[in-house]
Amino acid sequence: MKIGFLGAGKMAEAIVSTQVQMGGASGVVACDISPERRDAMAKQYGVAVTDCPVETAKKCGVLVLAVKPQDLDALLADIKKHLTAKHLLISIAAGKTLAALKKAAGTQPRIIRVMPNLALMIQEGMSVYCAATNAKPADKRLVAQLFGSAGAVLELPEKHFDAVTALSGSGPAFIAYVMGAMIEAAVALKLPREEARLLAEQTLIGTGIYLQNTGRDIGEFIRAVASPKGTTAAGLAVLEKSSLKAILAKTLAAAAVRSAALR
């Protein structure tokens, strides 16, 4: 089975890299209009490359739609007449619903929509998928394997995808923004910038892994760190009086609204 990537940007590259690590380079075709991206994919991963979406559709039974959302309709219009019931389309285009994909691609191919994030590039991604009614159990297993090899994967109803896009799709940028602010605050306290970044990064990583591995209640975890009248309690008192929760709620809501507008 050959997997064709229509679009060879950073997200597609992250998925390709995991396939290559698993010994699947010979079954991958990367299609992109950019000669630089094609050269990079061929040299780095040893996969076949092309600039022709139609050729890719003819050769590959699985097509990962990895172009920008605004370019997806034109791409599908180019290959629509070559799509059959034997094709599985896996879309990672933000905001594009299963209904929109079906309208653009036709009724024959099976379709699964995935919302990944950039952490796929270091095999720590978070990918959420939903499947059209014509998708087979084997199609879902393939998607779970493809994206699960580069992080965690979860199936959810499509009605949740705008929220998913805001939280895990855009979330890395929001978390990095907060981390950057904490680094700046530490620098203001005379901590060297390089050391402040390391402390912030490792604290974020350690907290996430601990909570994930233990399943501990977040409120309980906070209380465990914050001893009465201690340093953590002093800092939390400021957070609790701030509008941080409201700001984060507005941030995710704005991202979700934009996701809905991309349909």
Side-chain angles (χ1 to χ4, degrees), residues 69 93-97 100 113 115 158-166 170 252-263:
K96 289 294 184 179
T97 64
R113 178 185 176 190
M115 184 68 242
E158 190 175 32
K159 65 181 181 181
H160 295 305
F161 262 56
D162 291 332
V164 166
T165 300
S170 301
L252 265 66
V257 168
R258 179 57 183 157
S259 174
L262 292 172
R263 294 172 187 166

Side-chain angles (χ1 to χ4, degrees), residues 25-195:
S26 62
V28 173
V29 176
C31 175
D32 202 281
I33 60 173
S34 166
E36 292 78 15
R37 288 305 300 162
R38 295 197 302 272
D39 289 346
M41 296 295 282
K43 290 177 181 177
Q44 180 73 25
Y45 304 106
V47 299
V49 297
T50 179
D51 64 352
C52 182
V54 171
E55 177 187 340
T56 307
K58 288 180 177 179
K59 288 183 177 179
C60 302
V62 178
L63 297 172
V64 179
L65 309 179
V67 297
K68 295 178 180 178
Q70 59 267 33
D71 298 329
L72 187 55
D73 286 348
L75 170 67
L76 289 173
D78 286 343
I79 66 172
K80 184 176 181 178
K81 67 180 181 180
H82 303 285
L83 298 176
T84 71
K86 294 182 179 180
H87 280 100
L88 169 64
L89 305 184
I90 302 172
S91 172
I92 62 172
K96 289 294 184 179
T97 64
L98 291 171
L101 292 165
K102 182 177 179 180
K103 181 178 179 181
T107 58
Q108 290 203 68
R110 290 118 50 214
I111 301 174
I112 294 182
R113 178 185 176 190
V114 185
M115 184 68 242
N117 66 22
L118 199 58
L120 281 175
M121 297 188 70
I122 56 164
Q123 286 74 54
E124 289 293 347
M126 181 67 245
S127 301
V128 181
Y129 73 92
C130 61
T133 54
N134 66 344
K136 302 175 181 178
D139 297 333
K140 293 184 180 183
R141 290 194 295 271
L142 174 63
V143 167
Q145 180 273 325
L146 192 63
F147 290 86
S149 62
V153 65
L154 177 69
E155 181 180 11
L156 282 176
E158 190 175 32
K159 65 181 181 181
H160 295 305
F161 262 56
D162 291 332
V164 166
T165 300
L167 180 56
S168 61
S170 301
F174 306 149
I175 292 171
Y177 184 92
V178 172
M179 188 172 73
M182 293 182 72
I183 292 169
E184 292 300 328
V187 170
L189 292 172
K190 308 303 182 184
L191 197 64
R193 183 172 297 276
E194 186 175 343
E195 284 75 5

Side-chain angles (χ1 to χ4, degrees), residues 218-262:
I218 291 176
E220 179 186 301
F221 172 76
I222 292 171
R223 290 189 293 274
V225 178
S227 55
K229 298 182 180 180
T231 58
T232 307
L236 283 171
V238 176
L239 282 176
E240 289 170 353
K241 290 178 181 178
S242 75
S243 56
L244 179 60
K245 286 186 177 181
I247 290 170
L248 289 175
K250 288 181 181 179
T251 298
L252 265 66
V257 168
R258 179 57 183 157
S259 174
L262 292 172

